[in-house]
Amino acid sequence: MKLVGPVRRVPVIAWVLLALGAPFAVLLVVVSTRQWYPSSDQALEVLQIGEVGSERSPQLGVYSRWGWSHPGPLLFYLTAPLAAVAGNVGVLLSVGTLNAVAIATAAVAAWRRGGAALLTIVAGVLLVLVAAMGIEILIDPWNPGVVVVPLFTLALVCWSVGERDVWFLPAMTLIGSFLVQAHIGVALTVAVLGSTGLALSWRRARAEEPALLGAGWRAPLLFSLGLAVLAWLPPLFEQFGNDPGNLTLLARFAGDPGDSSTGLSAALRVAAAHLGLPPGWVTGLEVHAFDLEPGGWTWLGALVVLGGAGAVGWCARRGGAPDAARLAVLGGTMVIAGVLSTAQITGLAFQYLLWPWWSIGAVLWTSILWSTWVLVADRIRAHHAALAVASAAAVALLAGLLTWRAARVEVPFEDTSEALAELVPDTVAAVGEALPPG
């Protein structure tokens, strides 16, 4: 389905891509002029990033308060090159670049699946999501925030794999590995998305090809396997080089966490709060699972949204758009995985552990909007041009707001960074003078 005819399609696409790129361009330029002295968890991450390529090159991810580390160091490896060139600010620039790549990948997937119409929908959803969660999160290396945008992208990539767009398989492998290594809390959601995408692809293959490993799949599969091996070599080296290895510690913790988990009831309350009206990904909702008591209207709103996603997806399938229905299936599986993941959170489920619900809600609403468009597009063909103008104006307004915020962005813990800027140089100089020569 195309939003407008061929004459107007290219200007719409160019306008949408410009709207997506402008906030990032301003953000990266502004950040490059700043000074940043990290503190708290970010400081520990920067220390590990600085060790990439040395004898102490990290083989694991961020350390957890539960006595194990998140599975892998991809976040450190991908941010190390710019950090080596630009110092601490290079870490911020690297994270911003990673999020820009994730958004660009989502845009490509949207264009491949639905042309200018879906590209406009995805651009609008992403801009609202970033505005709600705060543009600062796009440069912050803290691992709970790093996963939000790539998790949204992964859903569209897995959908593309389900549609047998075979060269999205390496992207699915790399993004999925990055997410799991950065934060174990999204591992189940990543696994469910990947397996659902492959299952949908296999189901289509039964009718279209005699086997999944057809000529079109062989090269992407081999490339994906190579990426997976490279991505997971460091954690595997650590696992077999230590007793117990980190993967063993993770398995033991899963079997006996030593503290109570959030539980299914609280997880359902979290889902209702984020999926109800207004959606949590639009308002930037931040809640703790342990003190959350959503009201009746919130539960009703969540049920309406979930029921609506299923209904319009089913109608789209009946109307000759099974691809839209498959996106609805992926959205539904994300919700189920999100509930199960939230239920298994050990200890107090603070708000930052629930940030993946922003991604889940955004994917669900992308499904709703796309299925709805597929159902009504032919009926309102005479109004396509007007809708194109209105959509472009809305995207431009959101992009303008984010660009304005990007121009005023603060580095993580800016007050603490400014205080450290006054203390660190003199402290380092004094320590250097006190050390013996050599």
Side-chain angles (χ1 to χ4, degrees):
M1 293 286 181
K2 305 299 182 185
L3 182 63
V4 289
V7 174
R8 294 186 178 89
R9 189 183 308 157
V10 172
V12 168
I13 296 169
W15 183 255
V16 170
L17 294 178
L18 177 63
L20 284 173
F24 273 101
V26 173
L27 179 67
L28 296 178
V29 169
V30 170
V31 169
S32 69
T33 66
R34 298 292 177 84
Q35 179 178 250
W36 183 49
Y37 286 89
S39 58
S40 189
D41 290 351
Q42 287 88 338
L44 297 176
E45 289 183 273
V46 170
L47 285 174
Q48 290 183 279
I49 291 168
E51 292 182 339
V52 172
S54 72
E55 294 180 356
R56 299 184 302 275
S57 192
Q59 296 178 315
L60 302 175
V62 178
Y63 186 74
S64 165
R65 60 194 171 101
W66 297 108
W68 40 261
S69 296
H70 291 275
L74 268 181
L75 173 60
F76 302 149
Y77 288 6
L78 293 174
T79 52
L82 262 180
V85 174
N88 293 341
V89 167
V91 175
L92 305 181
L93 293 173
S94 296
V95 175
T97 301
L98 289 175
N99 277 307
V101 170
I103 286 180
T105 304
V108 171
W111 165 248
R112 295 278 295 177
R113 302 277 66 77
L118 185 55
L119 176 60
T120 304
I121 289 171
V122 167
V125 168
L126 281 169
L127 291 170
V128 170
L129 174 63
V130 172
M133 67 186 187
I135 199 167
E136 295 82 6
I137 202 172
L138 295 179
I139 57 168
D140 193 334
W142 196 31
N143 60 321
V146 162
V147 301
V148 175
V149 172
L151 185 58
F152 175 88
T153 299
L154 181 66
L156 297 185
V157 167
C158 291
W159 179 34
S160 294
V161 170
E163 297 303 312
R164 300 185 57 72
D165 204 342
V166 294
W167 279 104
F168 275 98
L169 188 60
M172 184 180 82
T173 302
L174 187 58
I175 297 171
S177 296
F178 172 81
L179 288 167
V180 174
Q181 292 193 18
H183 202 290
I184 190 65
V186 299
L188 177 60
T189 305
V190 169
V192 167
L193 279 175
S195 58
T196 303
L198 290 173
L200 290 172
S201 178
W202 175 80
R203 184 178 179 183
R204 293 193 65 193
R206 288 195 305 171
E208 298 175 11
E209 293 183 14
L212 180 64
L213 293 174
W217 279 87
R218 189 169 289 112
L221 277 172
L222 291 174
F223 187 35
S224 300
L225 180 61
L227 286 175
V229 169
L230 288 175
W232 288 96
L233 269 179
L236 290 175
F237 278 134
E238 191 281 335
Q239 172 65 24
F240 293 110
N242 294 281
D243 186 21
N246 188 63
L247 296 177
T248 300
L249 294 175
L250 283 168
R252 290 177 181 174
F253 181 80
D256 181 17
D259 201 348
S260 60
S261 60
T262 300
L264 184 59
S265 177
L268 290 172
R269 292 198 297 271
V270 169
H274 274 276
L275 301 180
L277 299 171
W281 67 275
V282 173
T283 63
L285 177 68
E286 297 206 54
V287 294
H288 306 292
F290 50 83
D291 61 0
L292 181 63
E293 293 294 340
W297 287 109
T298 301
W299 286 102
L300 179 61
L303 291 174
V304 168
V305 169
L306 288 169
V312 294
W314 181 79
C315 290
R317 183 178 184 277
R318 297 271 296 182
D323 59 325
R326 286 187 282 269
L327 179 58
V329 169
L330 276 166
T333 59
M334 275 190 90
V335 171
I336 295 171
V339 169
L340 295 176
S341 298
T342 302
Q344 293 303 312
I345 294 174
T346 301
L348 298 178
F350 293 106
Q351 73 275 17
Y352 61 85
L353 296 174
L354 307 178
W355 286 350
W357 278 103
W358 290 340
S359 311
I360 294 170
V363 170
L364 194 65
W365 273 95
T366 300
S367 167
I368 292 171
L369 293 171
W370 178 237
S371 292
T372 301
W373 169 254
V374 166
L375 289 171
V376 304
D378 287 338
R379 296 180 176 87
I380 58 171
R381 186 171 296 277
H383 304 289
H384 282 195
L387 282 172
V389 172
S391 301
V395 168
L397 181 62
L398 288 168
L401 172 64
L402 283 179
T403 303
W404 180 81
R405 290 187 181 178
R408 293 157 178 78
V409 70
E410 294 185 354
V411 297
F413 297 107
E414 182 155 312
D415 291 343
T416 305
S417 176
E418 291 174 352
L420 289 172
E422 298 292 329
L423 297 172
V424 169
D426 292 340
T427 303
V428 171
V431 170
E433 293 174 0
L435 291 175

